[in-house]
Amino acid sequence: MANSTSKNPPIVKVAIPVPLNRLFDYLTLEGIDQIPPGTRVLVPFGKTKKVGFVINNTNNSELKIERLKPIIAILDESPLISEKDFQLLQWASRYYHYPLGEVFSAAFPASLRKGKKAILAEEKHYKLSAKGECLNPDQLKRSPRQKHVFELFQSKNKSVSATTLNLWDKNWRPAVKALLDKELISLESHATTVINFSTPRESPLPANAQQIYAINQISAELGHFSVSLLEGITGSGKTEVYMQVIQRVLDLGLQVIVLLPEITLTPQLQERFKQRFSVALSLSHSKLTESQRHSAWLEMQQGRSCILLGTRSALFTPLKNPGLIILDEEHDSSFKQQEGFRFSARDLAIVRGKLLNIPVLLGTATPSLESLYNVEKKRYQLLQLSERAGNAIKPKFLLFDIRNKKLQDGLSEPLIAQIKKTLAKKEQVLLFLNRRGFAPVLICHSCAWVARCHRCDTSLVIHYDEKKLRCHHCGYQQHLINQCPSCNSGELKPLGLGTERVEKSLLELFPEQNIIRLDRDSTQRKGSLEDHLDKINQGKVDIILGTQMLAKGHHFPNVTLVAILDVDSGLFSIDFHATEKLAQLIIQVAGRAGRAEKPGKVILQTRQPDHPLLTVLLKEGYNKFAKTALAERQLASLPPFSFQALLRVYATNPADPQKFLISVCNIVQTINNLGTLVLGPVTAPMAKRAGNHHFQLLLQNAKRKNLQSLLDQLIPQLYTIKEAKKIRWSLDVDPVDLY
Ligand code: ADP
Ligand code: ZN
Ligand code: ZN
């Protein structure tokens, strides 16, 4: 090790997005002593160049100074993220035990990760020309859109940015071009977007008493950290609460991040926000182009935009004037990243709120057990909306016992009768089945052969539409066969139920009705989900059939009957999270019924009508269910009464992961593990996936701190295990899925 001497030249420690949990040392550029932490730098890395992030400045290196290379370039004049956000990323890297370079990388848009300059494309501004000032708009009446845009210019009488034009009229470009051609307006070549915090466009609804209370409570928190859990049944007006609180944040000149679990929910909310707010709004999710995400990130960073609407990773977007973070549908497990950097956007939102000293608002109809527990511990304030806003009435639940009942592709006779009754009233029906494809199993009636994926421990799903057999785990597919490969009989039969199969039956039962199937297969094409949703909202659809896509926040005002075809598949799972997820799903799906002024009905088909989960949930409500479930978790010392980390390992050869995990157990023995339970190694619930054998080890401790201290000691040693090079491992801190 080289001695630390002040004679050494300045050295920067750089986080580089590579899967190594360490920093890399470089010499700074000639004449530069310090580079502020967080600054992007271009560095030589092996035979290539990489963009890294300066973590700190030092004069020491464990390497010989002569061996250090200088950085190639400093990419930012000053760091793009604040000191607090820098701390957030360091915290996240430590907590999730994930390489700092990768964590930084997740917080920046791809463009900036690649080293692109952090500048926004200059925005065009337009203003009335001298000629335009004296023109009577009626002279443009042959082109209504030009006339409309021209009148907007006349009413503003100052320069107008492209952003503002967008807010006025989405299709402003051709009209502006024509006006430019006619020299009625001119292009101005300057300046940044001016955001005016003008009065709301559409006035807020008169809030009810519970909404007023919630709005006031949250608004009182502006300017310091706190977490509020807004628990409100679907349709109780949570979004209205968000909007009225956001207005207060905007009035203070501050910015808001709103996180949603699903990309498909952004257009709806964006539309509602646009009608309400006249400030600039940015979007951030994975369906946007690289340059759109680049702009959104910088618009927030520079304070040009006031509201950011996005999914999980939008949480990291820097804010010039941070005001509030909102997470809608906080219970949703899509806030937890399930691969790579396995962070929880909900948990990190709270850490970020604390660092930035701003409030965090979590909203949902079905709070996660963790959040309810935090309310109980007085860490979060609970705000409730218990009535549906407006005149909407709560739906009625019915359990249909389908034991020994004749089913037509999953539909019981009483359910079919209910569907008919609803359709006769010209109301919509929503059917929920969480399995796509025609049937999950193709079985031979004479020899019991089953079509299985040769790379996974699972059967192939029948997709009749495409005449394919598909593995839903590794993507393997083959042609649908008619003849049994084992006994050559032609007796291959579908077993079980998928959305395609129910759709076929519905088409036979209701040939006159418009039926739409919404699942991952039917919404492959870009824009097709939006098309379907439009049709539903315009009342052009009578029966909607779909997977969990339907459970998430979409508004279907004319739906009055909702049925969950198969509740039982969720009742028996080895993952302790399953019952919580099932209860949330039932309540969420039910929330789609009777949203407008028509009462709704929710039917659950089950062979377990006496199952305590169902009876408690339906008779006493979600809150009572949650209390019962929390009590069970406490008895079993499961989260939130303990903390878990799951070490997953896989390889093509089944022996190596096992040997690796046994070594891990041995290491755990040698370090002070502070009472950590070591569960495993065991095979993963689905042991073989895409040709790999999966094993796992679960670590659990009653104290977060103790678990973390164990991981701090353990993780660096994993790299030294003999099998480490033959396997792939990943660590999942606070896993939400034990799969
Ligand atoms: P949530 O987000 O809880 O599902 P929303 O905010 O979308 O609920 O509200 C559901 C419906 O009720 C919307 O159509 C909304 O416009 C309406 N609404 C909300 N608050 C009020 C209110 N105070 N008065 C009248 N209607 C309201
Ligand atoms: Zn056979
Ligand atoms: Zn497979």
Side-chain angles (χ1 to χ4, degrees):
M1 189 193 279
N3 289 330
S4 78
T5 70
S6 50
K7 276 182 291 177
N8 278 348
I11 292 163
V12 279
K13 295 205 176 277
V14 177
I16 297 175
V18 290
L20 293 170
N21 210 352
R22 48 166 290 206
L23 300 176
F24 298 86
D25 296 355
Y26 289 92
L27 301 171
T28 61
L29 292 174
E30 274 290 326
I32 292 178
D33 290 342
Q34 295 262 326
I35 306 176
T39 307
R40 290 179 305 148
V41 287
L42 187 67
V43 294
F45 192 81
K47 290 199 172 74
T48 62
K49 296 176 201 165
K50 284 198 183 289
V51 174
F53 304 87
V54 173
I55 300 305
N56 57 40
N57 293 267
T58 171
N59 286 98
N60 304 324
S61 177
E62 296 192 2
L63 295 172
K64 288 223 171 66
I65 301 300
E66 307 80 71
R67 292 192 51 201
L68 295 184
K69 293 187 184 149
I71 61 173
I72 299 167
I74 298 174
L75 299 177
D76 304 316
E77 276 171 32
S78 57
L80 300 176
I81 59 169
S82 68
E83 219 178 295
K84 297 290 176 193
D85 285 335
F86 183 85
Q87 288 171 21
L88 172 74
L89 300 180
Q90 283 198 310
W91 187 93
S93 166
R94 275 199 308 274
Y95 185 77
Y96 292 105
H97 300 268
Y98 203 65
L100 190 57
E102 303 261 33
V103 171
F104 264 80
S105 180
F108 284 73
S111 55
L112 297 176
R113 289 203 295 268
K114 292 180 192 160
K116 196 171 161 184
K117 281 213 177 91
I119 45 174
L120 272 170
E122 188 81 332
E123 196 175 35
K124 285 191 176 146
H125 283 65
Y126 304 89
K127 71 170 213 266
L128 276 185
S129 65
K131 186 175 161 194
E133 268 171 37
C134 30
L135 184 88
N136 180 342
D138 280 344
Q139 287 183 253
L140 294 168
K141 67 171 181 278
R142 280 169 55 204
S143 162
R145 175 156 266 136
Q146 278 178 42
K147 177 166 179 276
H148 172 68
V149 172
F150 182 73
E151 280 169 343
L152 293 174
F153 272 101
Q154 283 200 326
S155 69
K156 279 279 168 183
N157 203 17
K158 63 173 190 219
S159 100
V160 179
S161 68
T163 309
T164 315
L165 281 162
N166 253 333
L167 288 171
W168 275 345
D169 184 345
K170 259 194 241 148
N171 299 315
W172 59 274
R173 283 179 197 280
V176 163
K177 180 164 185 309
L179 295 173
L180 279 171
D181 290 346
K182 292 179 186 160
E183 294 177 351
L184 295 174
I185 58 171
S186 60
L187 187 64
E188 293 210 302
S189 58
H190 75 283
T192 57
T193 319
V194 181
I195 295 161
N196 55 22
F197 295 92
S198 61
T199 43
R201 323 176 90 198
E202 154 213 275
S203 355
L205 296 170
N208 63 34
Q210 287 185 319
Q211 285 175 319
I212 292 174
Y213 180 75
I215 294 162
N216 289 339
Q217 288 298 107
I218 305 158
S219 304
E221 304 293 335
L222 296 178
H224 58 265
F225 169 68
S226 73
V227 185
S228 306
L229 177 65
L230 179 64
E231 178 185 22
I233 55 170
T234 316
S236 60
K238 293 185 293 295
T239 312
E240 184 60 36
V241 170
Y242 300 158
M243 291 196 290
Q244 297 200 24
V245 174
I246 290 173
Q247 187 59 53
R248 307 248 185 128
V249 180
L250 298 177
D251 291 342
L252 296 171
L254 304 176
Q255 295 167 296
V256 187
I257 294 184
V258 182
L259 297 182
L260 296 170
E262 270 287 298
I263 294 174
T264 56
L265 296 172
T266 50
Q268 284 186 10
L269 201 61
Q270 184 190 359
E271 210 36 57
R272 286 179 79 177
F273 279 14
K274 273 194 179 161
Q275 280 167 19
R276 183 66 62 90
F277 305 114
S278 42
V279 299
L281 187 145
S282 302
L283 295 181
S284 169
H285 57 68
S286 60
K287 287 273 163 71
L288 299 175
T289 64
E290 192 173 307
S291 80
Q292 285 172 319
R293 298 186 83 175
H294 174 87
S295 305
W297 199 90
L298 289 171
E299 280 158 10
M300 294 307 286
Q301 194 247 6
Q302 298 178 3
R304 293 187 186 204
S305 186
C306 305
I307 304 175
L308 179 74
L309 210 57
T311 44
R312 198 168 59 215
S313 56
L315 169 71
F316 298 109
T317 312
L319 300 173
K320 181 147 192 258
N321 307 301
L324 173 69
I325 302 173
I326 299 177
L327 244 104
D328 192 27
E329 313 286 356
E330 67 89 24
H331 65 279
D332 199 295
S333 47
S334 16
F335 284 121
K336 176 83 199 264
Q337 183 139 309
Q338 306 277 18
E339 58 193 24
F341 174 27
R342 292 172 165 78
F343 68 96
S344 154
R346 182 190 60 208
D347 298 350
L348 280 188
I350 289 161
V351 178
R352 190 171 186 208
K354 199 167 190 171
L355 283 163
L356 296 178
N357 209 19
I358 59 171
V360 178
L361 172 57
L362 309 177
T364 176
T366 51
S368 60
L369 296 184
E370 287 86 356
S371 293
L372 285 175
Y373 180 64
N374 282 321
V375 167
E376 216 170 85
K377 290 266 145 189
K378 306 245 175 342
R379 292 184 198 125
Y380 298 176
Q381 79 164 325
L382 179 65
L383 301 166
Q384 284 172 309
L385 304 178
S386 51
E387 295 302 322
R388 285 196 166 188
N391 301 316
I393 306 157
K394 282 187 208 173
K396 202 163 93 197
F397 282 96
L398 300 170
L399 276 180
F400 280 8
D401 180 357
I402 52 169
R403 278 173 297 186
N404 303 315
K405 295 279 158 54
K406 195 173 139 262
L407 296 179
Q408 173 165 352
D409 292 329
L411 306 166
S412 64
E413 270 164 12
L415 175 58
I416 295 172
Q418 289 285 347
I419 296 175
K420 284 190 179 144
K421 226 168 100 187
T422 311
L423 294 175
K425 286 189 283 181
K426 299 258 173 289
E427 293 167 3
Q428 290 173 318
V429 175
L430 192 150
L431 302 176
F432 178 87
L433 177 68
N434 210 7
R435 202 184 296 117
R436 63 200 167 87
F438 185 84
V441 177
L442 180 68
I443 189 168
C444 172
H445 206 51
S446 39
C447 79
W449 173 89
V450 167
R452 302 187 62 83
C453 178
H454 59 284
R455 309 171 65 207
C456 306
D457 275 340
T458 184
S459 59
L460 293 171
V461 179
I462 306 168
H463 287 257
Y464 268 127
D465 279 358
E466 295 141 320
K467 307 249 171 310
K468 292 250 157 71
L469 287 172
R470 280 212 200 131
C471 173
H472 284 187
H473 296 274
C474 71
Y476 167 82
Q477 56 178 35
Q478 66 175 67
H479 281 296
L480 189 59
I481 46 174
N482 302 317
Q483 206 174 28
C484 175
S486 169
C487 73
N488 288 328
S489 80
E491 292 289 297
L492 293 177
K493 293 276 180 324
L495 188 69
L497 208 57
T499 45
E500 235 185 71
R501 187 170 193 171
V502 180
E503 182 188 31
K504 188 168 151 278
S505 222
L506 288 170
L507 287 166
E508 284 161 16
L509 282 165
F510 305 104
E512 306 284 295
Q513 312 288 346
N514 289 312
I515 299 169
I516 272 195
R517 194 184 94 213
L518 278 185
D519 57 29
R520 215 166 349 129
D521 300 318
S522 73
T523 54
Q524 280 286 326
R525 190 175 52 77
K526 193 167 181 265
S528 58
L529 177 63
E530 290 73 15
D531 292 349
H532 288 328
L533 293 173
D534 277 351
K535 269 198 202 136
I536 295 169
N537 286 322
Q538 290 161 19
K540 290 184 186 155
V541 180
D542 306 302
I543 304 179
I544 310 153
L545 163 72
T547 55
Q548 65 186 15
M549 223 175 234
L550 291 177
K552 311 214 178 189
H554 296 292
H555 289 230
F556 303 128
N558 204 29
V559 167
T560 56
L561 175 66
V562 170
I564 302 180
L565 300 185
D566 177 19
V567 176
D568 300 348
S569 54
L571 288 175
F572 304 97
S573 169
I574 44 168
D575 190 335
F576 71 89
H577 297 100
T579 46
E580 175 185 356
K581 284 184 196 156
L582 176 64
Q584 288 165 349
L585 180 79
I586 291 174
I587 302 297
Q588 291 287 342
V589 177
R592 313 294 136 220
R595 289 180 60 98
E597 268 134 58
K598 296 168 189 155
K601 230 181 237 170
V602 181
I603 294 171
L604 309 182
Q605 294 195 135
T606 177
R607 290 186 177 81
Q608 303 281 329
D610 304 318
H611 194 286
L613 164 69
L614 294 179
T615 50
V616 172
L617 184 65
L618 303 194
K619 291 217 178 77
E620 302 178 66
Y622 182 81
N623 257 299
K624 185 69 211 260
F625 154 79
K627 285 220 163 65
T628 318
L630 269 173
E632 277 174 17
R633 295 246 189 121
Q634 183 162 26
L635 273 176
S637 301
L638 287 169
F641 300 92
S642 65
F643 299 88
Q644 296 182 329
L646 185 65
L647 184 61
R648 295 187 179 89
V649 184
Y650 69 83
T652 46
N653 165 359
D656 294 327
Q658 293 185 74
K659 282 189 208 152
F660 178 83
L661 284 177
I662 289 168
S663 306
V664 173
C665 291
N666 292 336
I667 297 173
V668 174
Q669 299 287 317
T670 65
I671 52 191
N672 182 4
N673 72 34
L674 301 159
T676 302
L677 269 176
V678 181
L679 304 158
V682 293
T683 52
M686 186 186 272
K688 197 176 156 205
R689 257 176 279 162
N692 285 306
H693 294 271
H694 292 248
F695 291 82
Q696 56 195 36
L697 188 72
L698 187 67
L699 302 169
Q700 182 179 310
N701 196 304
K703 292 222 161 76
R704 201 192 287 275
K705 210 174 82 220
N706 290 351
L707 178 64
Q708 282 293 331
S709 132
L710 170 72
L711 295 174
D712 286 342
Q713 299 171 73
L714 174 66
I715 302 303
Q717 296 194 49
L718 297 186
Y719 298 89
T720 65
I721 297 175
K722 202 174 112 212
E723 283 77 23
K725 291 233 158 61
K726 298 190 207 157
I727 53 110
R728 304 280 300 255
W729 64 264
S730 65
L731 182 74
D732 194 347
V733 179
D734 306 326
V736 294
D737 198 338
L738 300 181
Y739 165 84

